[in-house]
Amino acid sequence: MTDKISSESTDGGVATDERSVRPFGLPSWVVAVLPLVLLALVIGAFVLTSPLAGVQGGEPLPDLTITHTTLPSEDTIVLHVTNNGPDAVTISQVLINDAYWNFEVEGAGGDQTLAPMESAQVVVPYHWQPGWDIHTALVVSDGTTFGHTIVAPSETPGLTTDVLWSLALIGVFVGVIPVALGMLWFPFIRAMSNRWLHAVLTFATGVLAFLAIDAGFEAFELVEEIPGAYEGTALVVLGILGTFLLVQSVSAWREGRAATGDARASSGLWVAYLVALGIGLHNLAEGLAIGSSFALGRVSLGAFLVIGFMLHNVTEGPAVVAPVARDTRPAWYHFAALGLIAGAPVILGGWIGGLAYSPTLGAFFLAIGVGAILQVNWEIAGMIRTQGGRVGSATNLLAFLVGLGVMYVTDLFVVL
């Protein structure tokens, strides 16, 4: 028995057989690489022998997506297309309002053929009338037709210095100013009892939950415009779960620091920055929508709409500062940083949307915002519990419902 034990090594009190460390007498790294080598051999054999050659029936159908259109002038239409299929496709003809027109394909290697997952622009010299729908269609070499309707067309302004400045100014009024005004409620929130402070925190989770629901629906609506090759639904789900887990890993790291006695890691200021980050990611997607409206020539941001955005976003301010209501009052620069993190991304999103509009990018940004907001709500709920509160109390549930309702009502001012 003694000899048997001596032939074994221990790891954390558990006896380990040396043969399990070196299976088959080989180094562990060889055993780890072996399945990959065998897999490569199997794949090579499958490709060389083509065992399914006799059962394959027919060629795959072409799959072309017109993601969006731009109208640089009243004499030009630009169709942005992506080849989703496994084979190259050749654009043979273009129909505008049921008539064939000349066209040029830009960005496809100098010809009219798109390789798999390749994108290009189809430029058509056509004089269109503002406000009158344009029915377009692309015909590929095998006769398959892909249609797209441009509803109420208007000229795309292009991205100039004036447009960039306009987007920045709109971002300030839509994002930065409302959040800053909402943060001015901090002294009032600070004077509340714990019961009402927790109600404010759950009100904040209601605000954030509405933003997550709204952004989630928008993301899945954009999936229909995403080229099939990019698997839009999977991309949105990956963005939501990936961001949630990424922010959660940062939060777990913070909890580890707090357990070692790091006062900064255990403060409400940390949660406030997470709230600001979640709101900022949502506002980034909001700015992307504004910028893409400029890029696509669908600018309708009148004074009433900007006021609607401001009413909608001012409720985000209390959500940012509520977590620090029981801490020592942070320095002024923390308030400035929180306001900029939450509100300024509207400007950045506007510029990105104006420079490189893409439904794929838009849906992914929205998904990132949803994932971050879900994690932040989880964090706020944990904060209430650590302060001795009960998340599911009657007051807190009503406050959560009020947060949802307020955001819904103010959202009506945006969509009306």
Side-chain angles (χ1 to χ4, degrees):
M1 178 67 68
T2 304
D3 293 339
K4 181 179 181 181
I5 295 176
S6 64
S7 66
E8 298 176 342
S9 58
T10 60
D11 183 10
V14 179
T16 305
D17 192 337
E18 289 184 359
R19 289 173 298 176
S20 65
V21 178
R22 296 174 62 89
F24 308 112
L26 298 173
S28 58
W29 68 268
V30 174
V31 177
V33 172
L34 183 61
L36 300 177
V37 174
L38 294 176
L39 177 62
L41 293 174
V42 171
I43 292 175
F46 182 86
V47 172
L48 292 175
T49 58
S50 300
L52 300 181
V55 295
Q56 292 178 352
E59 295 292 330
L61 296 175
D63 186 4
L64 199 67
T65 298
I66 303 174
T67 59
H68 62 285
T69 60
T70 51
L71 305 169
S73 71
E74 291 188 1
D75 296 310
T76 306
I77 298 174
V78 180
L79 306 175
H80 298 257
V81 301
T82 300
N83 177 16
N84 306 309
D87 295 331
V89 296
T90 300
I91 301 173
S92 300
Q93 295 172 316
V94 173
L95 286 87
I96 306 294
N97 291 333
D98 297 324
Y100 292 103
W101 287 84
N102 294 326
F103 67 96
E104 293 182 0
V105 179
E106 299 178 353
D111 55 22
Q112 297 172 193
T113 300
L114 278 69
M117 297 188 69
E118 185 176 14
S119 298
Q121 297 80 45
V122 180
V123 182
V124 185
Y126 179 85
H127 183 77
W128 49 272
Q129 297 293 329
W132 292 67
D133 292 357
I134 307 171
H135 303 284
T136 69
L138 301 179
V139 183
V140 299
S141 56
D142 69 347
T144 307
T145 303
F146 301 92
H148 179 80
T149 299
I150 307 172
V151 179
S154 59
E155 186 173 341
T156 305
L159 202 65
T160 63
T161 303
D162 290 340
V163 172
L164 288 174
W165 171 250
S166 297
L167 289 172
L169 192 62
I170 291 172
V172 169
F173 278 98
V174 168
V176 178
I177 291 177
V179 172
L181 291 177
M183 291 172 66
L184 292 178
W185 274 308
F186 176 71
F188 176 72
I189 296 173
R190 192 172 175 81
M192 290 179 171
S193 64
N194 279 345
R195 177 187 177 187
W196 290 108
L197 174 61
H198 294 163
V200 171
L201 287 170
T202 50
F203 170 84
T205 62
V207 169
L208 293 169
F210 182 88
L211 295 178
I213 294 170
D214 190 44
F217 281 132
E218 288 186 36
F220 283 107
E221 286 176 4
L222 279 175
V223 165
E224 298 179 2
E225 302 177 25
I226 296 176
Y230 296 116
E231 296 289 345
T233 302
L235 180 68
V236 170
V237 173
L238 177 63
I240 294 173
L241 291 180
T243 304
F244 178 87
L245 294 175
L246 179 62
V247 180
Q248 182 64 28
S249 67
V250 176
S251 178
W253 172 82
R254 188 268 306 177
E255 291 176 359
R257 293 290 300 272
T260 62
D262 190 334
R264 292 176 299 177
S266 59
S267 68
L269 187 61
W270 174 271
V271 180
Y273 272 107
L274 282 181
V275 172
L277 176 63
I279 291 174
L281 289 172
H282 171 270
N283 285 340
L284 178 70
E286 190 174 272
L288 190 73
I290 295 172
S292 64
S293 297
F294 273 81
L296 301 179
R298 302 190 180 278
V299 183
S300 59
L301 289 172
F304 185 79
L305 184 56
V306 172
I307 292 172
F309 272 120
M310 293 180 71
L311 290 173
H312 185 64
N313 291 344
V314 72
T315 53
E316 297 170 354
V320 173
V321 296
V324 294
R326 286 294 177 266
D327 291 352
T328 303
R329 184 181 179 278
W332 66 268
Y333 57 83
H334 283 298
F335 287 101
L338 290 169
L340 289 175
I341 291 172
V346 176
I347 301 173
L348 178 61
W351 287 344
I352 294 173
L355 281 168
Y357 169 73
S358 164
T360 306
L361 190 64
F364 188 61
F365 277 172
L366 286 166
I368 288 175
V370 173
I373 287 172
L374 292 177
Q375 198 285 329
V376 169
N377 276 357
W378 180 280
E379 196 79 15
I380 292 176
M383 183 180 185
I384 293 173
R385 285 191 291 266
T386 57
Q387 292 179 355
R390 187 164 63 92
V391 176
S393 69
T395 303
N396 290 345
L397 291 176
L398 286 174
F400 179 84
L401 182 61
V402 170
L404 288 173
V406 167
M407 292 301 287
Y408 173 76
V409 172
T410 57
D411 192 50
L412 294 179
F413 287 96
V414 177
V415 299
L416 289 178

